[in-house]
Amino acid sequence: MLRSILRPNHIRLATSARLASTATAKPITNISPDTPLSVPSLRKLNTRWNTMTEVEKNELISALSERQKADWKTLTPLEKQAAWYISYGEWGPRTPIHPKGTVQKIVLGVLTGIAVSGLVFLSIRAVLPEKPKTMSQEWQQASNEELEKINAEPFSGYNQIQSPIRGVHPSEDDE
Amino acid sequence: MLSRLARAQAIKTSLRAPIYRSSAIRFYSDDSLSYDEFTSKYEKEFDGAYDTYEVQRILNNVFSYDLVPAPTVIERALLAARRVNDYATASRVFEALKHKVDSEAQYKAYLDELKETREELGVTLQEDLFKEEEK
């Protein structure tokens, strides 16, 4: 930290490194227990760790382990976070099977599916032509009357009514 | 009358005793530890831990019993982590403790008990360390 304050050039480098999203950390040169590691080499480690090369990782690990030989009270929060992340963070075998936000994603997907299918259903219903006139309840009842008049089909009946209103049709009800 | 009764009682117990004893003898090794034995055993193990792997292995063992290790054991674990210069493991001990205890109150009691050691070593709790990041 102190070094970066003393050297404005270093600050500029650090800020530009922080601004660039794909910035690769500068090689760690200060490997001594008493010098804190530079901020850009530790910042947002959890987003960078998987894209870092083996060499960079090993460099950081050895620098951090060197740092941990000093009094832990002198460690910066960033160094503590980095040390914790490297040891126990969610990478490698500790990568969660269902990353954060999976539940929301699933719920959203299901709801979208239902909404889309409802929309398709309604739009098909909207563009459908009207039912043929023989499908109306009146027409079918009239057909029944006509058939009754000529005494058609005495054996199996001649009910012409299709899709009765819910339940047993009045004409088929024995009671 | 009374002496006869006593004799009968004696015979009864003498009859019962060998049967009882033979049924009590089980031919398996009983290596269960009392809490104090457990504590002293793991204190000694942590004192003898010489590298990070060893500390983590003992931690794994000590936290896999159906009990929460005594604060003295935790303290030795922290000191062992300090000795092998592994900050993350020291912080991890508290996480394990948090999972192991029954209630938040018990965790707090442990934290109060271990406060001195923790501050002396400069161990930040994991939940405090990543607090500002989550917000």
Side-chain angles (χ1 to χ4, degrees), chain B residues 60-87:
Chain B
N60 198 21
N61 287 348
V62 81
F63 277 108
S64 50
Y65 286 76
D66 192 13
L67 53 84
V68 187
T72 49
V73 178
I74 305 293
E75 197 181 327
R76 301 298 174 96
L78 292 175
L79 293 178
R82 174 66 267 195
R83 205 170 50 248
V84 300
N85 296 322
D86 191 353
Y87 169 80

PDB file of all heavy atoms in Angstrom, chain B residues 60-87:
ATOM      1  N   ASN B  60     -10.642 -32.157  10.657  1.00  0.00           N
ATOM      2  CA  ASN B  60     -11.692 -32.989  10.073  1.00  0.00           C
ATOM      3  C   ASN B  60     -12.139 -34.058  11.067  1.00  0.00           C
ATOM      4  O   ASN B  60     -13.330 -34.310  11.243  1.00  0.00           O
ATOM      5  CB  ASN B  60     -11.141 -33.635   8.798  1.00  0.00           C
ATOM      6  CG  ASN B  60     -12.236 -34.149   7.917  1.00  0.00           C
ATOM      7  OD1 ASN B  60     -13.377 -33.711   8.039  1.00  0.00           O
ATOM      8  ND2 ASN B  60     -11.926 -35.080   7.055  1.00  0.00           N
ATOM      9  N   ASN B  61     -11.160 -34.652  11.754  1.00  0.00           N
ATOM     10  CA  ASN B  61     -11.497 -35.692  12.728  1.00  0.00           C
ATOM     11  C   ASN B  61     -12.228 -35.120  13.927  1.00  0.00           C
ATOM     12  O   ASN B  61     -13.241 -35.670  14.372  1.00  0.00           O
ATOM     13  CB  ASN B  61     -10.222 -36.394  13.202  1.00  0.00           C
ATOM     14  CG  ASN B  61      -9.668 -37.304  12.131  1.00  0.00           C
ATOM     15  OD1 ASN B  61     -10.350 -37.575  11.149  1.00  0.00           O
ATOM     16  ND2 ASN B  61      -8.449 -37.746  12.294  1.00  0.00           N
ATOM     17  N   VAL B  62     -11.712 -34.028  14.446  1.00  0.00           N
ATOM     18  CA  VAL B  62     -12.252 -33.507  15.704  1.00  0.00           C
ATOM     19  C   VAL B  62     -13.688 -33.018  15.512  1.00  0.00           C
ATOM     20  O   VAL B  62     -14.506 -33.079  16.427  1.00  0.00           O
ATOM     21  CB  VAL B  62     -11.332 -32.400  16.276  1.00  0.00           C
ATOM     22  CG1 VAL B  62     -11.578 -31.079  15.619  1.00  0.00           C
ATOM     23  CG2 VAL B  62     -11.522 -32.275  17.781  1.00  0.00           C
ATOM     24  N   PHE B  63     -14.003 -32.597  14.302  1.00  0.00           N
ATOM     25  CA  PHE B  63     -15.351 -32.099  14.059  1.00  0.00           C
ATOM     26  C   PHE B  63     -16.292 -33.183  13.544  1.00  0.00           C
ATOM     27  O   PHE B  63     -17.415 -32.890  13.177  1.00  0.00           O
ATOM     28  CB  PHE B  63     -15.325 -30.932  13.078  1.00  0.00           C
ATOM     29  CG  PHE B  63     -15.020 -29.626  13.742  1.00  0.00           C
ATOM     30  CD1 PHE B  63     -13.794 -29.007  13.567  1.00  0.00           C
ATOM     31  CD2 PHE B  63     -15.953 -29.026  14.569  1.00  0.00           C
ATOM     32  CE1 PHE B  63     -13.511 -27.808  14.201  1.00  0.00           C
ATOM     33  CE2 PHE B  63     -15.682 -27.830  15.188  1.00  0.00           C
ATOM     34  CZ  PHE B  63     -14.453 -27.220  15.004  1.00  0.00           C
ATOM     35  N   SER B  64     -15.815 -34.438  13.485  1.00  0.00           N
ATOM     36  CA  SER B  64     -16.722 -35.456  12.961  1.00  0.00           C
ATOM     37  C   SER B  64     -17.333 -36.301  14.070  1.00  0.00           C
ATOM     38  O   SER B  64     -17.981 -37.292  13.799  1.00  0.00           O
ATOM     39  CB  SER B  64     -15.994 -36.331  11.938  1.00  0.00           C
ATOM     40  OG  SER B  64     -14.786 -36.782  12.459  1.00  0.00           O
ATOM     41  N   TYR B  65     -17.137 -35.894  15.322  1.00  0.00           N
ATOM     42  CA  TYR B  65     -17.801 -36.596  16.428  1.00  0.00           C
ATOM     43  C   TYR B  65     -19.173 -35.962  16.672  1.00  0.00           C
ATOM     44  O   TYR B  65     -19.470 -34.874  16.195  1.00  0.00           O
ATOM     45  CB  TYR B  65     -16.971 -36.495  17.707  1.00  0.00           C
ATOM     46  CG  TYR B  65     -15.733 -37.359  17.704  1.00  0.00           C
ATOM     47  CD1 TYR B  65     -14.615 -36.996  16.975  1.00  0.00           C
ATOM     48  CD2 TYR B  65     -15.690 -38.534  18.429  1.00  0.00           C
ATOM     49  CE1 TYR B  65     -13.477 -37.781  16.968  1.00  0.00           C
ATOM     50  CE2 TYR B  65     -14.556 -39.331  18.438  1.00  0.00           C
ATOM     51  CZ  TYR B  65     -13.459 -38.946  17.703  1.00  0.00           C
ATOM     52  OH  TYR B  65     -12.332 -39.714  17.697  1.00  0.00           O
ATOM     53  N   ASP B  66     -19.959 -36.678  17.493  1.00  0.00           N
ATOM     54  CA  ASP B  66     -21.281 -36.151  17.806  1.00  0.00           C
ATOM     55  C   ASP B  66     -21.187 -35.231  19.017  1.00  0.00           C
ATOM     56  O   ASP B  66     -21.915 -35.388  19.988  1.00  0.00           O
ATOM     57  CB  ASP B  66     -22.237 -37.323  18.092  1.00  0.00           C
ATOM     58  CG  ASP B  66     -23.674 -36.857  18.123  1.00  0.00           C
ATOM     59  OD1 ASP B  66     -23.918 -35.718  17.695  1.00  0.00           O
ATOM     60  OD2 ASP B  66     -24.535 -37.620  18.570  1.00  0.00           O
ATOM     61  N   LEU B  67     -20.255 -34.334  18.968  1.00  0.00           N
ATOM     62  CA  LEU B  67     -20.104 -33.368  20.066  1.00  0.00           C
ATOM     63  C   LEU B  67     -19.356 -32.162  19.527  1.00  0.00           C
ATOM     64  O   LEU B  67     -18.712 -32.232  18.481  1.00  0.00           O
ATOM     65  CB  LEU B  67     -19.342 -33.992  21.239  1.00  0.00           C
ATOM     66  CG  LEU B  67     -17.988 -34.643  20.975  1.00  0.00           C
ATOM     67  CD1 LEU B  67     -16.862 -33.636  20.980  1.00  0.00           C
ATOM     68  CD2 LEU B  67     -17.715 -35.707  22.020  1.00  0.00           C
ATOM     69  N   VAL B  68     -19.467 -31.055  20.238  1.00  0.00           N
ATOM     70  CA  VAL B  68     -18.716 -29.866  19.849  1.00  0.00           C
ATOM     71  C   VAL B  68     -17.453 -29.846  20.686  1.00  0.00           C
ATOM     72  O   VAL B  68     -17.527 -29.947  21.904  1.00  0.00           O
ATOM     73  CB  VAL B  68     -19.540 -28.593  20.097  1.00  0.00           C
ATOM     74  CG1 VAL B  68     -18.815 -27.395  19.531  1.00  0.00           C
ATOM     75  CG2 VAL B  68     -20.912 -28.717  19.472  1.00  0.00           C
ATOM     76  N   PRO B  69     -16.277 -29.755  20.038  1.00  0.00           N
ATOM     77  CA  PRO B  69     -15.026 -29.763  20.789  1.00  0.00           C
ATOM     78  C   PRO B  69     -14.985 -28.622  21.808  1.00  0.00           C
ATOM     79  O   PRO B  69     -15.568 -27.559  21.585  1.00  0.00           O
ATOM     80  CB  PRO B  69     -13.962 -29.579  19.714  1.00  0.00           C
ATOM     81  CG  PRO B  69     -14.611 -29.908  18.442  1.00  0.00           C
ATOM     82  CD  PRO B  69     -16.058 -29.668  18.599  1.00  0.00           C
ATOM     83  N   ALA B  70     -14.279 -28.880  22.903  1.00  0.00           N
ATOM     84  CA  ALA B  70     -14.169 -27.861  23.948  1.00  0.00           C
ATOM     85  C   ALA B  70     -13.377 -26.668  23.440  1.00  0.00           C
ATOM     86  O   ALA B  70     -12.565 -26.804  22.524  1.00  0.00           O
ATOM     87  CB  ALA B  70     -13.485 -28.473  25.166  1.00  0.00           C
ATOM     88  N   PRO B  71     -13.598 -25.485  24.027  1.00  0.00           N
ATOM     89  CA  PRO B  71     -12.873 -24.282  23.587  1.00  0.00           C
ATOM     90  C   PRO B  71     -11.355 -24.451  23.641  1.00  0.00           C
ATOM     91  O   PRO B  71     -10.657 -23.904  22.794  1.00  0.00           O
ATOM     92  CB  PRO B  71     -13.336 -23.226  24.584  1.00  0.00           C
ATOM     93  CG  PRO B  71     -14.660 -23.688  25.043  1.00  0.00           C
ATOM     94  CD  PRO B  71     -14.637 -25.177  25.017  1.00  0.00           C
ATOM     95  N   THR B  72     -10.889 -25.244  24.607  1.00  0.00           N
ATOM     96  CA  THR B  72      -9.425 -25.423  24.682  1.00  0.00           C
ATOM     97  C   THR B  72      -8.900 -26.124  23.431  1.00  0.00           C
ATOM     98  O   THR B  72      -7.822 -25.806  22.940  1.00  0.00           O
ATOM     99  CB  THR B  72      -9.050 -26.251  25.929  1.00  0.00           C
ATOM    100  OG1 THR B  72      -9.871 -27.414  25.969  1.00  0.00           O
ATOM    101  CG2 THR B  72      -9.239 -25.456  27.195  1.00  0.00           C
ATOM    102  N   VAL B  73      -9.700 -27.058  22.931  1.00  0.00           N
ATOM    103  CA  VAL B  73      -9.286 -27.768  21.709  1.00  0.00           C
ATOM    104  C   VAL B  73      -9.252 -26.799  20.536  1.00  0.00           C
ATOM    105  O   VAL B  73      -8.316 -26.798  19.728  1.00  0.00           O
ATOM    106  CB  VAL B  73     -10.250 -28.935  21.410  1.00  0.00           C
ATOM    107  CG1 VAL B  73      -9.858 -29.640  20.131  1.00  0.00           C
ATOM    108  CG2 VAL B  73     -10.291 -29.908  22.564  1.00  0.00           C
ATOM    109  N   ILE B  74     -10.285 -25.955  20.472  1.00  0.00           N
ATOM    110  CA  ILE B  74     -10.349 -24.977  19.384  1.00  0.00           C
ATOM    111  C   ILE B  74      -9.144 -24.038  19.454  1.00  0.00           C
ATOM    112  O   ILE B  74      -8.538 -23.689  18.436  1.00  0.00           O
ATOM    113  CB  ILE B  74     -11.658 -24.161  19.479  1.00  0.00           C
ATOM    114  CG1 ILE B  74     -12.878 -25.074  19.513  1.00  0.00           C
ATOM    115  CG2 ILE B  74     -11.769 -23.174  18.331  1.00  0.00           C
ATOM    116  CD1 ILE B  74     -13.129 -25.835  18.258  1.00  0.00           C
ATOM    117  N   GLU B  75      -8.815 -23.680  20.682  1.00  0.00           N
ATOM    118  CA  GLU B  75      -7.685 -22.774  20.860  1.00  0.00           C
ATOM    119  C   GLU B  75      -6.396 -23.433  20.341  1.00  0.00           C
ATOM    120  O   GLU B  75      -5.617 -22.807  19.632  1.00  0.00           O
ATOM    121  CB  GLU B  75      -7.562 -22.456  22.344  1.00  0.00           C
ATOM    122  CG  GLU B  75      -6.714 -21.231  22.613  1.00  0.00           C
ATOM    123  CD  GLU B  75      -6.605 -20.971  24.097  1.00  0.00           C
ATOM    124  OE1 GLU B  75      -7.562 -21.258  24.833  1.00  0.00           O
ATOM    125  OE2 GLU B  75      -5.535 -20.499  24.509  1.00  0.00           O
ATOM    126  N   ARG B  76      -6.217 -24.706  20.695  1.00  0.00           N
ATOM    127  CA  ARG B  76      -5.030 -25.413  20.205  1.00  0.00           C
ATOM    128  C   ARG B  76      -5.052 -25.497  18.679  1.00  0.00           C
ATOM    129  O   ARG B  76      -4.008 -25.419  18.033  1.00  0.00           O
ATOM    130  CB  ARG B  76      -4.958 -26.827  20.769  1.00  0.00           C
ATOM    131  CG  ARG B  76      -4.904 -26.912  22.266  1.00  0.00           C
ATOM    132  CD  ARG B  76      -3.666 -26.247  22.832  1.00  0.00           C
ATOM    133  NE  ARG B  76      -3.722 -26.239  24.288  1.00  0.00           N
ATOM    134  CZ  ARG B  76      -3.138 -27.139  25.072  1.00  0.00           C
ATOM    135  NH1 ARG B  76      -2.458 -28.115  24.543  1.00  0.00           N
ATOM    136  NH2 ARG B  76      -3.253 -27.053  26.381  1.00  0.00           N
ATOM    137  N   ALA B  77      -6.237 -25.664  18.128  1.00  0.00           N
ATOM    138  CA  ALA B  77      -6.348 -25.739  16.667  1.00  0.00           C
ATOM    139  C   ALA B  77      -5.897 -24.420  16.041  1.00  0.00           C
ATOM    140  O   ALA B  77      -5.162 -24.406  15.042  1.00  0.00           O
ATOM    141  CB  ALA B  77      -7.783 -26.047  16.276  1.00  0.00           C
ATOM    142  N   LEU B  78      -6.337 -23.316  16.673  1.00  0.00           N
ATOM    143  CA  LEU B  78      -5.945 -22.007  16.147  1.00  0.00           C
ATOM    144  C   LEU B  78      -4.431 -21.819  16.248  1.00  0.00           C
ATOM    145  O   LEU B  78      -3.789 -21.335  15.314  1.00  0.00           O
ATOM    146  CB  LEU B  78      -6.661 -20.900  16.926  1.00  0.00           C
ATOM    147  CG  LEU B  78      -8.173 -20.819  16.717  1.00  0.00           C
ATOM    148  CD1 LEU B  78      -8.767 -19.782  17.636  1.00  0.00           C
ATOM    149  CD2 LEU B  78      -8.483 -20.483  15.270  1.00  0.00           C
ATOM    150  N   LEU B  79      -3.892 -22.237  17.371  1.00  0.00           N
ATOM    151  CA  LEU B  79      -2.443 -22.105  17.549  1.00  0.00           C
ATOM    152  C   LEU B  79      -1.699 -22.980  16.541  1.00  0.00           C
ATOM    153  O   LEU B  79      -0.656 -22.578  16.015  1.00  0.00           O
ATOM    154  CB  LEU B  79      -2.057 -22.484  18.982  1.00  0.00           C
ATOM    155  CG  LEU B  79      -2.578 -21.526  20.060  1.00  0.00           C
ATOM    156  CD1 LEU B  79      -2.186 -22.007  21.436  1.00  0.00           C
ATOM    157  CD2 LEU B  79      -2.059 -20.109  19.827  1.00  0.00           C
ATOM    158  N   ALA B  80      -2.250 -24.156  16.272  1.00  0.00           N
ATOM    159  CA  ALA B  80      -1.619 -25.039  15.292  1.00  0.00           C
ATOM    160  C   ALA B  80      -1.639 -24.390  13.912  1.00  0.00           C
ATOM    161  O   ALA B  80      -0.650 -24.422  13.183  1.00  0.00           O
ATOM    162  CB  ALA B  80      -2.334 -26.387  15.267  1.00  0.00           C
ATOM    163  N   ALA B  81      -2.769 -23.762  13.568  1.00  0.00           N
ATOM    164  CA  ALA B  81      -2.876 -23.089  12.268  1.00  0.00           C
ATOM    165  C   ALA B  81      -1.875 -21.935  12.198  1.00  0.00           C
ATOM    166  O   ALA B  81      -1.261 -21.684  11.162  1.00  0.00           O
ATOM    167  CB  ALA B  81      -4.290 -22.570  12.054  1.00  0.00           C
ATOM    168  N   ARG B  82      -1.709 -21.264  13.327  1.00  0.00           N
ATOM    169  CA  ARG B  82      -0.739 -20.169  13.368  1.00  0.00           C
ATOM    170  C   ARG B  82       0.673 -20.707  13.166  1.00  0.00           C
ATOM    171  O   ARG B  82       1.482 -20.134  12.469  1.00  0.00           O
ATOM    172  CB  ARG B  82      -0.862 -19.452  14.715  1.00  0.00           C
ATOM    173  CG  ARG B  82       0.140 -18.381  15.036  1.00  0.00           C
ATOM    174  CD  ARG B  82       0.033 -17.182  14.149  1.00  0.00           C
ATOM    175  NE  ARG B  82       0.901 -17.243  12.988  1.00  0.00           N
ATOM    176  CZ  ARG B  82       1.190 -16.204  12.217  1.00  0.00           C
ATOM    177  NH1 ARG B  82       0.643 -15.022  12.467  1.00  0.00           N
ATOM    178  NH2 ARG B  82       1.970 -16.330  11.191  1.00  0.00           N
ATOM    179  N   ARG B  83       0.932 -21.861  13.785  1.00  0.00           N
ATOM    180  CA  ARG B  83       2.274 -22.429  13.719  1.00  0.00           C
ATOM    181  C   ARG B  83       2.637 -22.812  12.284  1.00  0.00           C
ATOM    182  O   ARG B  83       3.760 -22.648  11.851  1.00  0.00           O
ATOM    183  CB  ARG B  83       2.361 -23.644  14.632  1.00  0.00           C
ATOM    184  CG  ARG B  83       3.759 -23.950  15.106  1.00  0.00           C
ATOM    185  CD  ARG B  83       3.783 -25.003  16.197  1.00  0.00           C
ATOM    186  NE  ARG B  83       3.023 -26.173  15.873  1.00  0.00           N
ATOM    187  CZ  ARG B  83       1.908 -26.538  16.487  1.00  0.00           C
ATOM    188  NH1 ARG B  83       1.424 -25.799  17.460  1.00  0.00           N
ATOM    189  NH2 ARG B  83       1.259 -27.611  16.133  1.00  0.00           N
ATOM    190  N   VAL B  84       1.646 -23.332  11.538  1.00  0.00           N
ATOM    191  CA  VAL B  84       1.943 -23.712  10.161  1.00  0.00           C
ATOM    192  C   VAL B  84       1.665 -22.570   9.185  1.00  0.00           C
ATOM    193  O   VAL B  84       1.679 -22.752   7.977  1.00  0.00           O
ATOM    194  CB  VAL B  84       1.148 -24.967   9.731  1.00  0.00           C
ATOM    195  CG1 VAL B  84       1.489 -26.132  10.628  1.00  0.00           C
ATOM    196  CG2 VAL B  84      -0.355 -24.703   9.749  1.00  0.00           C
ATOM    197  N   ASN B  85       1.383 -21.370   9.738  1.00  0.00           N
ATOM    198  CA  ASN B  85       1.177 -20.166   8.923  1.00  0.00           C
ATOM    199  C   ASN B  85       0.047 -20.313   7.912  1.00  0.00           C
ATOM    200  O   ASN B  85       0.196 -19.975   6.744  1.00  0.00           O
ATOM    201  CB  ASN B  85       2.464 -19.772   8.196  1.00  0.00           C
ATOM    202  CG  ASN B  85       3.547 -19.387   9.173  1.00  0.00           C
ATOM    203  OD1 ASN B  85       3.288 -18.751  10.186  1.00  0.00           O
ATOM    204  ND2 ASN B  85       4.760 -19.809   8.881  1.00  0.00           N
ATOM    205  N   ASP B  86      -1.069 -20.859   8.352  1.00  0.00           N
ATOM    206  CA  ASP B  86      -2.203 -20.999   7.440  1.00  0.00           C
ATOM    207  C   ASP B  86      -3.379 -20.199   7.981  1.00  0.00           C
ATOM    208  O   ASP B  86      -4.143 -20.672   8.814  1.00  0.00           O
ATOM    209  CB  ASP B  86      -2.560 -22.481   7.295  1.00  0.00           C
ATOM    210  CG  ASP B  86      -3.556 -22.713   6.167  1.00  0.00           C
ATOM    211  OD1 ASP B  86      -4.045 -21.714   5.617  1.00  0.00           O
ATOM    212  OD2 ASP B  86      -3.823 -23.880   5.855  1.00  0.00           O
ATOM    213  N   TYR B  87      -3.499 -18.990   7.481  1.00  0.00           N
ATOM    214  CA  TYR B  87      -4.561 -18.109   7.976  1.00  0.00           C
ATOM    215  C   TYR B  87      -5.939 -18.673   7.655  1.00  0.00           C
ATOM    216  O   TYR B  87      -6.852 -18.685   8.492  1.00  0.00           O
ATOM    217  CB  TYR B  87      -4.427 -16.711   7.368  1.00  0.00           C
ATOM    218  CG  TYR B  87      -5.634 -15.872   7.653  1.00  0.00           C
ATOM    219  CD1 TYR B  87      -5.777 -15.255   8.883  1.00  0.00           C
ATOM    220  CD2 TYR B  87      -6.669 -15.770   6.729  1.00  0.00           C
ATOM    221  CE1 TYR B  87      -6.916 -14.554   9.191  1.00  0.00           C
ATOM    222  CE2 TYR B  87      -7.800 -15.074   7.023  1.00  0.00           C
ATOM    223  CZ  TYR B  87      -7.916 -14.459   8.258  1.00  0.00           C
ATOM    224  OH  TYR B  87      -9.057 -13.779   8.556  1.00  0.00           O
TER     225      TYR B  87
END
